[in-house]
Every structure is written in C-alpha cells, then in structure tokens.
Amino acid sequence: MAYIFEIENLEKSFGSNEVLRDINFKVEKGEVLSIIGSSGSGKSTLLRCINLLEEPDGGKIKYHGENILDYISINNYRTKVGMVFQSFNLFNNKTVLENCVVGQVKVLKKSREEAVRVADEFLKKVGMYPFRDAKPASLSGGQKQRVAIARSLAMNPEVLLFDEPTSALDPEMVNEVLNVMRSLAEEGLTMLVVTHEMGFARDVSNRVLFMDKGVIAEDEDSKEFFANPKTKRAKEFLSMVL
Ligand code: ADP
Ligand code: MG
C-alpha cells in the first residue's frame, strides 16, 4: 500500500517550548484519523505543520513519498491538502457562493462558470445551496462551518485537515457538521481530524492518535483505543472526557 503521508521524526519548538517531539506516523488513502489529547499537547501545531502554516524544525513530511519541506512551491500542495478551521475563516464580505468560487478561479484557474457549477454541487452536498446568496454574518455557526467544508471540497482536495471543527459551535449545531463529516468519511475521503468529539473519534474515524505533551502516546485502531487504552495518560484522559 502506498501512503499518502509518512511523517518522520517531526519536531517543532516555539523558543524553548518543544511542542512536537519525534512525531512518526503514516496515513493510507481513505483513512480517517482522529487526533485527540489535552489542550496544549500539540494537536493544532501538528496539523499546521502538515499544512505548512508552521515550519517544522526537523524531520520529514512525505506526501506521496516526496518530502514537502523540500518543495519550492507549496501552492499546489495546499490545494491537495485542505484545511477546515474552528473559526471557519470565511470571507465575511463575500456571499456563500463567492466564498466557494474565489479559490477555484484564482488558484485553480477555472472559468467562473465551471467554478459556480462545482460550488453549487458542494453547497448542495452540505445542505447550504438555499443560502448561496447569503453573507456569512446571517448564518449560524453550524451553517458557516458547512460552507467552509463546501469551500474546501470545491478545491478537489485529496486530504482534508480539520482543527476542532465543532468546538466553536452551540451544542445543537454540532451534529449537522459531524453528519457532513461522517458522509465524507463514508465516501472514502482521507481526513485528519483534531477533535474533542469522542463519539466521532470512536465511531467514524478508524484510527486515533492520542497526543500527550508533544508526542504521540498511542496510535491505535479507534475501537481498540476506546475499549482498551494502553497508557496511563490515555486512561486518565478518557476518564475525564467520557
Ligand atoms: P493543542 O492544539 O493540542 O491545544 P497547540 O498545538 O495549539 O496545542 O499548542 C501546543 C503548545 O505550543 C502550547 O504550549 C502553545 O502555547 C504553544 N504554541 C502554539 N502555537 C504557538 C505560537 N504560534 N507561538 C508560540 N507558542 C505556540
Ligand atoms: Mg488546538
């Protein structure tokens, strides 16, 4: 099996704070990984390194066998590896439709007509087509996040990274976003999801990376991780969140 990602000995510090230490894992096509662990354990930094929003200090991030830290242009890579943020990061002065069109036209150099066709397709998929002409300010958090997911999907990524996509949402809106993510997982999209939603981690993702103080303390099949955590820290973490 060829891997999409092979992360080798990844390191990242902020000053004297060693945030990621000797991170190693591989991702196969179609896998859904949940990255869980306490606040400050390095989950966001790991995703941000994978998307090159942070520059690692050492190690390799191989994407289809090539170390992306050797790439000269990262724009092509960024279109293949999309990211969905806790805070949505929509363009608030643009309509829902324009949010989903602009990247396709500017980065992928598509015609506007084709970009609108693709945007509408993904807005339908996340249930936001009726809101295509609305501005983000008029939407709920759950609706904004579904637009952000449609915008990412419209770039035709191979992998989507999610950093706590439901953490900013009111509880009644969490499921509408998780349901979209579940359907993407069922369709075989490769996803790395930092999440506090333990139901998603156990039932939707097939693997769990449990992070503790900058290291991957467990890398385990998700059912096995929840049924039988091996480390003391994972047991403590689960006893707090379940
Ligand atoms: P998590 O997402 O698991 O809560 P983070 O990756 O956000 O953890 O943070 C891990 C550690 O790195 C924390 O100690 C945090 O304060 C620190 N950190 C994260 N980003 C920065 C930054 N840009 N500058 C300095 N320190 C940072
Ligand atoms: Mg975080």
Side-chain angles (χ1 to χ4, degrees):
M1 174 51 121
Y3 292 103
I4 291 187
F5 284 120
E6 295 159 274
I7 313 290
E8 297 175 1
N9 311 114
L10 189 69
E11 315 262 342
K12 176 69 183 174
S13 296
F14 293 106
S16 61
N17 186 6
E18 292 185 307
V19 175
L20 297 177
R21 291 179 285 143
D22 197 22
I23 299 284
N24 293 278
F25 65 97
K26 298 177 181 179
V27 181
E28 292 180 6
K29 192 166 186 60
E31 279 197 297
V32 179
L33 269 67
S34 287
I35 302 170
I36 67 176
S38 304
S39 179
S41 57
K43 306 180 299 295
S44 293
T45 303
L46 175 57
L47 276 200
R48 292 170 62 80
C49 283
I50 291 174
N51 205 29
L52 294 181
L53 293 170
E54 297 286 355
E55 190 184 348
D57 297 323
K60 291 181 179 167
I61 300 173
K62 290 185 184 167
Y63 176 66
H64 293 290
E66 269 194 272
N67 186 8
I68 61 167
L69 305 178
D70 296 338
Y71 277 20
I72 296 164
S73 164
I74 60 170
N75 286 341
N76 181 49
Y77 172 74
R78 284 239 181 88
T79 68
K80 290 284 129 204
V81 180
M83 184 132 165
V84 174
F85 300 89
Q86 180 177 335
S87 51
F88 327 121
N89 294 14
L90 295 175
F91 301 112
N92 287 317
N93 58 337
K94 293 188 194 299
T95 64
V96 162
L97 178 67
E98 285 306 320
N99 266 277
C100 298
V101 162
V102 61
Q104 297 187 70
V105 171
K106 286 206 171 148
V107 181
L108 301 180
K109 311 290 180 206
K110 285 194 203 166
S111 70
R112 188 181 156 78
E113 192 183 20
E114 168 67 3
V116 168
R117 191 189 65 69
V118 169
D120 281 342
E121 175 193 333
F122 287 109
L123 286 170
K124 282 175 189 157
K125 187 183 185 84
V126 303
M128 288 302 291
Y129 180 75
F131 298 87
R132 73 200 278 276
D133 299 319
K135 291 276 179 69
S138 67
L139 304 178
S140 72
Q143 291 172 328
K144 285 182 196 171
Q145 195 58 296
R146 286 187 283 142
V147 172
I149 292 171
R151 179 180 61 175
S152 289
L153 291 171
M155 299 299 282
N156 191 29
E158 183 179 27
V159 182
L160 271 192
L161 312 177
F162 294 81
D163 193 356
E164 298 199 24
T166 62
S167 293
L169 304 181
D170 292 334
E172 67 272 23
M173 291 162 193
V174 168
N175 277 336
E176 66 189 65
V177 173
L178 291 181
N179 287 340
V180 167
M181 293 170 64
R182 179 191 294 267
S183 74
L184 296 176
E186 285 167 357
E187 287 166 23
L189 182 67
T190 308
M191 299 160 61
L192 276 62
V193 184
V194 173
T195 187
H196 293 294
E197 292 293 329
M198 294 300 122
F200 179 91
R202 184 179 53 214
D203 302 329
V204 180
S205 68
N206 52 306
R207 238 169 96 201
V208 166
L209 302 184
F210 172 67
M211 292 192 67
D212 182 35
K213 300 192 184 85
V215 302
I216 296 177
E218 298 201 26
D219 175 352
E220 189 61 85
D221 172 87
S222 55
K223 301 277 182 298
E224 172 65 15
F225 175 81
F226 283 96
N228 188 19
K230 307 234 166 7
T231 60
K232 184 164 172 281
R233 282 294 294 131
K235 287 176 192 166
E236 285 168 2
F237 177 80
L238 289 176
S239 75
M240 286 187 291
V241 297
L242 289 182

